Amino acid sequence: LVKMDRIDSNPLGKVERIARNEEEEEKRRALTPEEFQRLLFVSEERSLLYSVAVCSGLRKKELKLLAWGDVVTSGNGDTRLRLRSNTTKNRKAESVPVPRWCAEELLKSRPAAAVETTKVFPVLPRFYKDLKAAGIPAVDERGYKAVFHSFRHTLATWLFQYGANPKAIQGIMRHSTIELSANQYTNFHDSEYRDASNLLPVFEFGRYTQIRAQISVPEGQNVSQVGETKKKKFTSETLMDKGLGRLQTGVVAVGRMVRAAGFEPATPSV
């Protein structure tokens, strides 16, 4: 109204936004691959819509407005879904890729009489009915809810689980920041945290006493001899040099992974 000169000033301009309590916000859950497979089994012809939703991350409105002219296949066989500016949340024209298996199923379903403006999914299904038929609880034990928007949470979670580049995930999700994709759209269960922890290298504890003895007494000397060695001038054969050398050798022998230089265990790439 101010821009249209209907009023002189905005009477709500100084009203502060109410701080949101994140604990009270509705938390949406991601589906596990097993749950999603069950959903496809019970949803019959609606399974194509669910597959496109979880593989592309398109929002409910974007799926409803998707036309066959927006399904674009390049010369190398890659298929992208083109999103017109009047269909996206941020009013920007964008496009997102879909896996080839999903694209093949989508293209096979195109009716012979369809034209460029024909809607791909003119009617959206009753999601909660299919959810119930698949035995997927609408609310899990943590209080996280399964809603249609959960397909976007599912996509982000799976991409992170399977090691996709975070920047690529941000692009596919069409988020303004990587943090938004990583923090608000991923939904890991305790099993995922356990599996991630198990990726760490494994070391043995059985030879700890022996290695410690080798460090403290590299040549089998007693405590008094060690004290005498410390008084001498350090050379390449001194206690410290021998101790670290033996520790380094010990870790290489019993550990599964070490860095090329140094004796700290290497971190495996995910």
Side-chain angles (χ1 to χ4, degrees):
L1 292 175
V2 173
K3 290 180 179 179
M4 298 172 61
D5 293 328
R6 301 291 296 273
I7 59 177
D8 295 330
S9 62
N10 181 4
L12 302 178
K14 295 184 179 181
V15 177
E16 296 182 358
R17 188 184 296 250
I18 298 176
R20 297 184 300 173
N21 187 344
E22 294 184 359
E23 295 182 356
E24 296 178 356
E25 289 183 359
E26 179 182 82
K27 294 192 175 183
R28 299 159 181 170
R29 58 166 299 198
L31 302 180
T32 66
E34 294 75 18
E35 289 175 329
F36 184 71
Q37 184 64 79
R38 295 206 309 268
L39 181 65
L40 295 187
F41 282 152
V42 303
S43 55
E44 300 177 351
E45 72 278 359
R46 300 177 297 280
S47 62
L48 178 61
L49 168 65
Y50 296 149
S51 296
V52 173
V54 82
C55 288
S56 66
L58 264 63
R59 300 176 177 88
K60 193 173 184 179
K61 178 184 176 182
E62 294 167 343
L63 286 165
K64 189 172 183 179
L65 297 178
L66 186 70
W68 282 109
D70 300 322
V71 182
V72 182
T73 301
S74 62
N76 60 4
D78 291 335
T79 300
R80 299 183 71 90
L81 303 182
R82 184 178 60 191
L83 303 174
R84 289 164 277 123
S85 59
N86 63 327
T87 66
T88 60
K89 182 178 179 180
N90 60 5
R91 298 298 177 184
K92 293 181 179 179
E94 299 174 298
S95 68
V96 295
V98 290
R100 291 197 175 188
W101 68 265
C102 185
E104 290 174 359
E105 294 297 326
L106 178 61
L107 293 172
K108 285 192 301 185
S109 71
R110 178 171 181 166
V115 296
E116 296 294 282
T117 57
T118 302
K119 297 292 188 295
V120 178
F121 305 111
V123 179
L124 298 187
R126 295 177 58 184
F127 171 70
Y128 292 105
K129 183 179 179 180
D130 289 331
L131 206 66
K132 183 177 181 180
I136 302 173
V139 182
D140 66 9
E141 68 281 358
R142 302 165 300 171
Y144 285 46
K145 297 182 179 180
V147 296
F148 196 91
H149 201 73
S150 292
F151 288 128
R152 282 180 58 79
H153 291 260
T154 300
L155 173 60
T157 301
W158 288 359
L159 289 174
F160 274 105
Q161 281 180 329
Y162 295 120
N165 186 296
K167 192 64 178 177
I169 298 175
Q170 178 192 353
I172 293 173
M173 295 299 298
R174 294 171 286 137
H175 283 152
S176 57
T177 64
I178 294 177
E179 289 74 20
L180 180 59
S181 301
N183 297 335
Q184 296 189 29
Y185 274 78
T186 55
N187 182 211
F188 295 108
H189 294 267
D190 289 341
S191 59
E192 277 85 41
Y193 292 117
R194 179 201 62 212
D195 294 342
S197 178
N198 286 331
L199 292 174
L200 295 171
V202 179
F203 296 90
E204 296 180 7
F205 282 82
R207 294 181 58 193
Y208 175 76
T209 304
Q210 178 183 351
I211 294 173
R212 184 177 179 182
Q214 291 173 342
I215 297 172
S216 301
V217 191
E219 296 297 337
Q221 301 125 319
N222 57 29
V223 176
S224 61
Q225 289 174 322
V226 172
E228 290 298 321
T229 306
K230 287 185 178 179
K231 294 179 182 179
K232 298 178 181 179
K233 183 179 180 180
F234 282 113
T235 66
S236 59
E237 296 295 319
T238 57
L239 171 66
M240 185 61 69
D241 292 332
K242 292 180 181 179
L244 289 179
R246 291 175 185 272
L247 173 60
Q248 195 168 357
T249 303
V251 174
V252 172
V254 301
R256 297 186 181 179
M257 299 183 65
V258 294
R259 295 185 186 274
F263 54 89
E264 295 180 355
T267 302
S269 59
V270 179

